[in-house]
Each structure stands twice: as C-alpha cells, then as structure tokens.
Amino acid sequence: MTFLSHVINGISLGSVYAIIALGYTMVYGIAKMLNFAHGDVIMIGGYMCFIATMSLHLGTIPSILIAVIVCTLLGIVIERLAYKPLRSASSLAVLITAIGVSYFLQNAALLIWSSNTKSFKSVVAGVQPVKLFGDKLSISAEAILTIAVSVVIMICLTLFTGKSKMGKAMRAVSEDRGAAQLMGINVNKTISMTFAIGSGLAAIAGVLLLSSYSSLTPTTGSMPGIKAFTAAVFGGIGSIPGAMLGGILLGVIEILGKAYISQELSDAIVFAVLIIVLIFKPTGLLGKKIKEKV
C-alpha cells in the first residue's frame, strides 16, 4: 500500500505540474514563444489568495476567484507590455524578455511582501483524508481535490479549443498565423486570450500546490515553473493532452525517486528521464514532428 500511496501523491503533484504546463504549451502552440515568467504568476496567485483569506477574511471560493482574476489580468498586461512589441523579434529576444519579466515579478513580490515565508492555509483544511482497504491506504483531501480539478480543467479546455469560436481561432493561429489573419481572425486578441487562460490556470495551480506545500515566498513559483515546462516538453510541447500526460508522469517519477532512491537526487532523476525520452523521441511523448516549408 505504501507504493500505491506514493503513486497517488505523485499523480496529485503531477496534476499541478500538468495545469501549469497547459499554460506553457498553449502559449507556445499559439504564440510560438516560451513564457518563462509563467512560474512567477503561480506565486502571485498564491499571494493574492493568501491576502484575500488572511487579511480580507474572505471565504475559500471568493479568495480563489480573486487570485484567478488578478492573474488573468496580469497575464494580459504582461503579454501587451512585454511580448506584443516582440511579435517579429527573434526567439532569443523573446526569451531574454521572459527571463526579465520573471525577475521583475520576483523582485516586486520581494519589495511588497518581503522575503519572510508565509504559511499558506489549505483550501480544504479540516477535511479528513479518505481511508481505503481497512485504513491501510490514506488519500488526503488535497490530493483528491487536485486530481479532480486537473481532470475537469483538461476536459473543459479540450471542449473549449474544439467547440468554441475562440478555441477554433486559437487552433487556426497555431497552425498558420498569417493565414488565420487573412481569414479575419484577430491574432492579437487570440494571443492575449491565450495568455489570460494560461495565467488563470497558473493561479489555480498555485492555490492547489500551496495547499499541499504551505510555504509561500517570492520564489515559490520558480522550481514548479521549470518542472512544468519540463513536463510540457516531456509530453510534447504544443499538445494539450501531452502537457497533461507529461505533468502526471513527471510528478510520479519525482515522488517515487524521493521515496526509493534519494530526496536530494529526485530533481536530477526527473531531468535525466526527460533527457533520455528526448534522445529517443525529440518531439516528446505526444508531440508531432512538423515539417518546415522551404
């Protein structure tokens, strides 16, 4: 039962990585850029929820909604101010800008909230864990909530991109931005919407992550952001199902690595597995090879 418990915890952690990875993979798939500030949006979402709960004394749902709204608006602002002027710039310029935005958000949080660690209260605090097999297996409320939310988000996002008008516009821009613009699709609006959705998901991921790991600092989102990007590449960046699969596998590998090999080497194991996968399948598990037109 211990192994099964580790697997469930790994799926829970991987579900958080998957939600964050969805933001990475959507932005890359549609705007063809890597938003390395995405991890810091997680941190901002955590602080917003913390302030709404502890300072404004709001309930769990209103606090989460505030975090999602603030991060959604933040995503739009970041895209408009930092990335929109670089539409035709080189990928290196966009990458450097993304790193700059990341450091800006971290230092802004440091100035506003200081470096002191905040203790984040779980959104399901007080809910008893579910016990199975005669109390031999205990599943925390945080794990159940995280897995359930990730599944709902995955289904909703798949339906949104497949059925809605904006979702179809996103897919069109992803396939060919120039052709989509000729067909009357507002590319700028579509890319802004992508950043908004990704940032809103980052806020939800931040709340779920901090519900299980309660320490909140200005650098809280850095490592989860890197691991979520790794998950997106692992699953096939640009693929929504790939982001989900990559996140879950990454979480399971990390938890099993900590449990059975070494806590200190768990991160190295995760990245080593990624390297091995990319050697044999450079596009990721569910990624598709794109032929460049000359």
Side-chain angles (χ1 to χ4, degrees), residues 3-18 143 146-147 213 246-257:
F3 175 78
L4 186 56
S5 178
H6 289 320
V7 170
I8 292 171
N9 290 333
I11 293 173
S12 174
L13 178 61
S15 296
V16 175
Y17 291 157
T146 302
I147 295 170
Y213 306 90
I248 291 173
L249 289 177
L250 207 71
V252 172
I253 291 168
E254 180 178 340
I255 295 297
L256 292 180

Side-chain angles (χ1 to χ4, degrees), residues 11-68:
I11 293 173
S12 174
L13 178 61
S15 296
V16 175
Y17 291 157
I19 295 171
I20 306 169
L22 287 171
Y24 275 114
T25 206
M26 286 181 66
V27 169
Y28 180 81
I30 294 167
K32 296 297 182 287
M33 63 175 63
L34 297 173
N35 178 23
F36 280 113
H38 192 63
D40 299 289
V41 178
I42 300 168
M43 172 267 297
I44 298 295
Y47 273 110
M48 290 299 102
C49 189
F50 178 83
I51 291 169
T53 304
M54 304 304 293
S55 300
L56 302 180
H57 305 292
L58 297 177
T60 300
I61 300 300
S63 298
I64 295 174
L65 287 176
I66 287 174
V68 171

Side-chain angles (χ1 to χ4, degrees), residues 67-140:
V68 171
I69 291 169
V70 169
C71 287
T72 299
L73 295 175
L74 178 62
I76 295 172
V77 170
I78 289 172
E79 192 276 328
R80 290 286 175 87
L81 296 181
Y83 298 134
K84 187 177 179 181
L86 302 175
R87 286 278 195 270
S88 302
S90 66
S91 56
L92 180 60
V94 177
L95 178 62
I96 293 171
T97 301
I99 294 171
V101 173
S102 174
Y103 279 112
F104 173 80
L105 292 176
Q106 286 184 24
N107 284 278
L110 188 63
L111 289 171
I112 297 170
W113 294 297
S114 79
S115 60
N116 295 331
T117 301
K118 305 289 191 298
S119 183
F120 192 93
K121 184 180 179 182
S122 172
V123 295
V124 287
V127 179
Q128 296 299 314
V130 175
K131 297 186 181 295
L132 302 173
F133 306 108
D135 294 347
K136 291 182 180 180
L137 178 63
S138 179
I139 307 174
S140 68

Side-chain angles (χ1 to χ4, degrees), residues 45-282:
Y47 273 110
M48 290 299 102
C49 189
F50 178 83
I51 291 169
T53 304
M54 304 304 293
S55 300
L56 302 180
H57 305 292
L58 297 177
T60 300
I61 300 300
S63 298
I64 295 174
L65 287 176
I66 287 174
V68 171
I69 291 169
V70 169
C71 287
T72 299
L73 295 175
L74 178 62
I76 295 172
V77 170
I78 289 172
E79 192 276 328
R80 290 286 175 87
L81 296 181
Y83 298 134
K84 187 177 179 181
L86 302 175
R87 286 278 195 270
S88 302
S90 66
S91 56
L92 180 60
V94 177
L95 178 62
I96 293 171
T97 301
I99 294 171
V101 173
S102 174
Y103 279 112
F104 173 80
L105 292 176
Q106 286 184 24
N107 284 278
L110 188 63
L111 289 171
I112 297 170
W113 294 297
S114 79
S115 60
N116 295 331
T117 301
K118 305 289 191 298
S119 183
F120 192 93
K121 184 180 179 182
S122 172
V123 295
V124 287
V127 179
Q128 296 299 314
V130 175
K131 297 186 181 295
L132 302 173
F133 306 108
D135 294 347
K136 291 182 180 180
L137 178 63
S138 179
I139 307 174
S140 68
E142 288 83 5
I144 295 171
L145 177 66
T146 302
I147 295 170
V149 169
S150 67
V151 170
V152 170
I153 287 174
M154 179 67 185
I155 293 171
C156 291
L157 202 56
T158 301
L159 292 174
F160 173 78
T161 55
K163 303 293 183 182
S164 70
K165 184 177 179 181
M166 178 55 71
K168 291 176 180 177
M170 288 178 176
R171 288 164 56 199
V173 173
S174 174
E175 288 293 329
D176 191 322
R177 188 184 300 181
Q181 196 162 15
L182 289 174
M183 294 299 292
I185 294 173
N186 188 329
V187 172
N188 288 329
K189 180 181 176 182
T190 304
I191 293 175
S192 292
M193 180 61 69
T194 304
F195 271 84
I197 293 173
S199 299
L201 293 178
I204 295 173
V207 172
L208 294 172
L209 180 68
L210 291 167
S211 290
S212 298
Y213 306 90
S214 59
S215 298
L216 175 59
T217 67
T219 57
T220 290
S222 298
M223 186 54 73
I226 292 172
K227 288 181 180 178
F229 171 69
T230 303
V233 176
F234 192 11
I237 194 161
S239 167
I240 291 176
M244 193 73 182
L245 177 62
I248 291 173
L249 289 177
L250 207 71
V252 172
I253 291 168
E254 180 178 340
I255 295 297
L256 292 180
K258 285 181 178 179
Y260 295 108
I261 301 176
S262 168
Q263 288 198 354
E264 291 78 13
L265 295 177
S266 61
D267 291 344
I269 293 167
V270 166
F271 294 120
V273 171
L274 171 69
I275 292 170
I276 292 169
V277 170
L278 292 182
I279 287 173
F280 294 99
K281 202 171 190 307

